[in-house]
């Protein structure tokens, strides 16, 4: 019963969002760490592709025989890093803009924090429901 409730909630999507934000954070932090490396090209995870895959996973009906089946995004939607080629090239051949990377890191942190806060809220709701069912 609880497994069905959990799978029909937004928890799986929020979990995928938090995982994506965590992996993207590592890529963005790597960009900042390598900003002084000559010829280093900025990398990023494709946020639009992830959001499209997440939207598809959330809106398509679940496949199951006895309740919902956990939907998971394609690994390549999360794992695939891309070159960000619209950057300014510096004299050493690198294209890392410290300010832009910090801005992206901040946005990504906000997405992660929001996913975790929403998951916490849903789990607190579940905790209240469990307490109420025990007290009845």
């Amino acid at each position: 019963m609880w497994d069905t409730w959990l799978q029909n909630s937004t928890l799986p999507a929020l979990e995928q969002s938090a995982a994506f934000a965590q992996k993207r954070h590592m890529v963005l932090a790597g960009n900042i760490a390598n900003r002084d490396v000559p010829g280093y090209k900025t990398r990023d995870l494709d946020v639009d592709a992830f959001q499209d895959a997440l939207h598809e996973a959330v809106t398509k009906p679940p496949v199951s025989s006895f309740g919902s089946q956990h939907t998971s995004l394609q690994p390549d939607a999360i794992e695939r890093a891309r070159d960000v080629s619209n950057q300014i090239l510096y004299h050493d051949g690198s294209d890392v803009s410290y300010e832009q990377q910090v801005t992206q890191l901040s946005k990504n942190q906000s997405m992660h924090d929001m996913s975790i806060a929403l998951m916490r809220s849903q789990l607190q709701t579940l905790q209240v429901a469990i307490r109420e069912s025990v007290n009845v």
Side-chain angles (χ1 to χ4, degrees):
M1 175 176 122
W2 294 112
D3 186 47
T4 301
W5 183 87
L6 288 173
Q7 296 308 318
N8 288 332
S9 72
T10 58
L11 283 174
L14 292 169
E15 178 185 5
Q16 293 290 333
S17 294
F20 175 81
Q22 180 181 0
K23 289 179 183 188
R24 185 168 186 238
H25 198 86
M26 291 175 18
V27 171
L28 294 172
N31 289 340
I32 292 172
N34 289 303
R35 76 182 194 146
D36 293 328
V37 175
Y40 181 81
K41 302 294 182 215
T42 306
R43 294 169 30 117
D44 197 355
L45 297 184
D46 193 342
V47 177
D48 293 332
F50 170 75
Q51 289 176 346
D52 290 345
L54 183 63
H55 181 265
E56 183 180 324
V58 169
T59 57
K60 73 177 184 180
V63 177
S64 72
S65 56
F66 300 105
S68 297
Q69 180 179 352
H70 180 73
T71 56
S72 179
L73 300 177
Q74 299 294 330
D76 63 335
I78 294 177
E79 302 285 336
R80 182 179 50 218
R82 62 180 171 86
D83 288 331
V84 181
S85 58
N86 62 353
Q87 305 287 352
I88 297 171
L89 284 178
Y90 296 102
H91 68 283
D92 65 355
S94 71
D95 68 352
V96 180
S97 165
Y98 181 73
E99 293 81 10
Q100 186 177 25
Q101 293 303 305
V102 169
T103 300
Q104 291 299 320
L105 205 57
S106 177
K107 287 180 185 178
N108 191 63
Q109 183 67 44
S110 294
M111 182 175 87
H112 183 269
D113 291 348
M114 182 173 47
S115 297
I116 298 299
L118 290 170
M119 285 173 41
R120 184 176 292 128
S121 173
Q122 289 216 350
L123 291 174
Q124 286 173 344
T125 301
L126 176 61
Q127 189 176 28
V128 168
I130 291 171
R131 275 194 217 130
E132 290 299 318
S133 68
V134 170
N135 291 335
V136 171

